[in-house]
């Protein structure tokens, strides 16, 4: 089966290679000429424009969009629509906000095309391990894409599923990422406690390796943590700056809208935001208040 793929970054490039190995042909476009050349060199078809992509794809066309959420997705869809035939399928496999996805579905289907959202998890390990995919959209379109989804998944009938109507795939992925924030924060705090207990001289990588087998906190995230600690046990050269893709924020907003208490996910998001503040004003305010009411010492920089 052929698939058009827009966005050949690390994740998109790995997806293309997994599809090639599974017997599918990818026709790929990216603004990076190097990424297009690499795709062609590995056995797929790289193109230099969306128009060329539309020409290279035959039959009912399915085009998977892997670009940043928001305006880039809007712009890509707008450029593709004049090139499509009735029944062609657009797939948003990025981290779009689910309400944007619902809007895209309404706009695209009103013009006679199909739209499917695929919340995709797996990162740089997807080529080897497969991708977890949460799929939203009309059943007929999803079934048409089944050969592609089964090839990208960890197993043919595992690690992916049609979770509901348009927008539901990105909604489930949004909550998935919110949970991920909480798990990462818990691991980070736990390992920090271990690291601070200097009298025991704990080997953090050894602890992580012990927990990987049989422990109730074992996970793939812990596997990756153990590997990272093996390569850099003292975290040398790293700054305490943690970015967020936006999905943790959306999860928190949705929890508030739905009157759901989600303190762990919320606090993990706040901690990420706080990590970016140099000479943190909040903490300086706390210090000066403690000094004012209790005469507690204040450190001056």
């Amino acid at each position: 089966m052929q698939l058009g793929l827009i966005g050949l970054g690390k994740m998109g490039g790995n997806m293309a290679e997994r599809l090639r190995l599974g017997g599918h042909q990818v026709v790929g476009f990216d603004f990076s000429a190097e990424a297009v050349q690499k795709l062609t060199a590995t056995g797929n078809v790289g193109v230099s424009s969306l128009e060329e992509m539309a020409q290279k794809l035959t039959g009912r066309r399915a085009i998977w969009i892997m670009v940043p959420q928001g305006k880039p997705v809007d712009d890509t869809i707008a450029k593709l629509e004049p090139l499509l035939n009735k029944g062609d399928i657009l797939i948003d496999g990025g981290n779009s906000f689910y309400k944007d996805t619902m809007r895209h579905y309404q706009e695209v289907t009103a013009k006679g095309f199909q739209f499917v959202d695929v919340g995709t998890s797996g990162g740089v390990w997807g080529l080897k391990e497969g991708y977890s995919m949460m799929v939203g959209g009309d059943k007929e379109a999803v079934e048409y894409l089944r050969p592609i989804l089964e090839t990208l998944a960890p197993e043919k009938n595992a690690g992916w599923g049609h979770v509901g109507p348009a927008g539901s795939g990105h909604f489930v992925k949004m909550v998935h990422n919110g949970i991920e924030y909480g798990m990462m924060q818990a691991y980070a705090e736990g390992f920090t406690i271990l690291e601070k207990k200097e009298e025991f001289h704990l080997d953090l990588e050894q602890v992580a390796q012990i927990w990987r087998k049989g422990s109730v906190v074992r996970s793939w995230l812990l596997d990756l943590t153990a590997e990272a600690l093996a390569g850099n046990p003292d975290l040398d050269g790293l700054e305490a700056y943690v970015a967020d893709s936006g999905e943790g924020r959306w999860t928190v907003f949705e929890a508030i809208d739905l009157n759901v208490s989600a303190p762990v996910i919320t606090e993990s998001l706040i901690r990420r935001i706080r990590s970016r503040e140099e000479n943190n004003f909040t903490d300086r305010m706390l210090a000066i208040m403690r000094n004012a009411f209790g005469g507690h010492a204040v450190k001056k920089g």
Side-chain angles (χ1 to χ4, degrees):
M1 184 175 177
Q2 276 189 318
L3 179 74
L5 179 60
I6 300 171
L8 301 173
K10 188 68 173 179
M11 191 166 180
N14 283 346
M15 290 174 64
E17 179 63 9
R18 188 172 176 90
L19 288 169
R20 184 189 69 82
L21 294 172
H24 303 284
Q25 183 188 62
V26 171
V27 179
F29 168 76
D30 194 281
F31 288 111
S32 166
E34 182 181 352
V36 172
Q37 292 169 359
K38 182 177 178 180
L39 181 75
T40 302
T42 56
N44 278 306
V45 179
V47 296
S48 58
S49 68
L50 298 182
E51 290 79 10
E52 186 181 358
M53 172 181 284
Q55 293 170 1
K56 294 283 187 182
L57 293 169
T58 59
R60 185 183 185 185
R61 290 171 290 190
I63 301 177
W64 190 300
I65 302 168
M66 286 293 284
V67 301
Q69 64 89 18
K71 191 174 185 298
V73 177
D74 291 340
D75 292 347
T76 301
I77 291 173
K79 292 175 182 177
L80 283 171
E81 285 179 339
L83 308 175
L84 300 177
N85 297 324
K86 301 297 182 183
D88 287 349
I89 305 171
L90 292 181
I91 307 136
D92 184 357
N95 286 331
S96 290
F97 184 43
Y98 79 97
K99 290 184 179 179
D100 289 341
T101 298
M102 295 171 72
R103 170 174 58 84
H104 290 146
Y105 172 84
Q106 294 295 335
E107 294 171 351
V108 167
T109 56
K111 298 174 183 177
F113 314 126
Q114 294 291 309
F115 193 88
V116 171
D117 53 296
V118 182
T120 310
S121 179
V124 297
W125 295 89
L127 174 59
K128 178 183 176 183
E129 304 289 341
Y131 298 90
S132 173
M133 293 171 293
M134 298 133 266
V135 185
D138 295 338
K139 182 177 180 180
E140 186 276 332
V142 175
E143 284 300 313
Y144 182 82
L145 296 171
R146 178 178 286 274
I148 294 292
L149 298 170
E150 289 179 343
T151 301
L152 289 173
E155 300 176 24
K156 185 175 181 179
N157 295 308
W160 78 278
H162 184 194
V163 298
S168 64
H170 282 151
F171 182 82
V172 174
K173 176 58 162 51
M174 176 190 76
V175 177
H176 164 282
N177 280 27
I179 293 170
E180 177 186 294
Y181 279 34
M183 292 175 64
M184 292 175 69
Q185 185 67 30
Y187 277 130
E189 291 176 6
F191 277 101
T192 301
I193 294 169
L194 296 173
E195 191 268 339
K196 291 294 183 182
K197 194 63 172 175
E198 296 179 357
E199 65 190 89
F200 288 158
H201 305 288
L202 296 170
D203 182 333
L204 299 190
E205 191 228 336
Q206 180 196 33
V207 173
Q209 294 290 358
I210 292 169
W211 287 352
R212 288 181 63 197
K213 304 294 182 181
S215 165
V216 296
V217 299
R218 64 187 183 273
S219 70
W220 184 52
L221 186 56
L222 183 61
D223 294 343
L224 298 178
T225 301
E227 292 181 17
L229 287 170
N232 189 359
D234 297 320
L235 308 186
D236 292 333
L238 297 177
E239 293 185 16
Y241 184 103
V242 186
D244 72 279
S245 65
E247 292 196 296
R249 297 173 185 236
W250 301 336
T251 304
V252 171
F253 299 155
E254 198 68 26
I256 294 170
D257 288 344
L258 295 172
N259 289 316
V260 174
S261 175
V264 173
I265 294 174
T266 302
E267 178 60 21
S268 66
L269 171 64
I270 298 303
R271 293 300 304 176
R272 289 192 179 203
I273 294 172
R274 191 161 178 160
S275 76
R276 304 164 208 164
E277 298 180 20
E278 293 185 6
N279 197 16
N280 186 286
F281 188 81
T282 304
D283 289 345
R284 285 187 286 148
M285 283 296 302
L286 288 172
I288 201 169
M289 283 187 279
R290 289 183 78 247
N291 176 258
F293 72 70
H296 301 290
V298 176
K299 288 187 177 182
K300 296 183 178 180

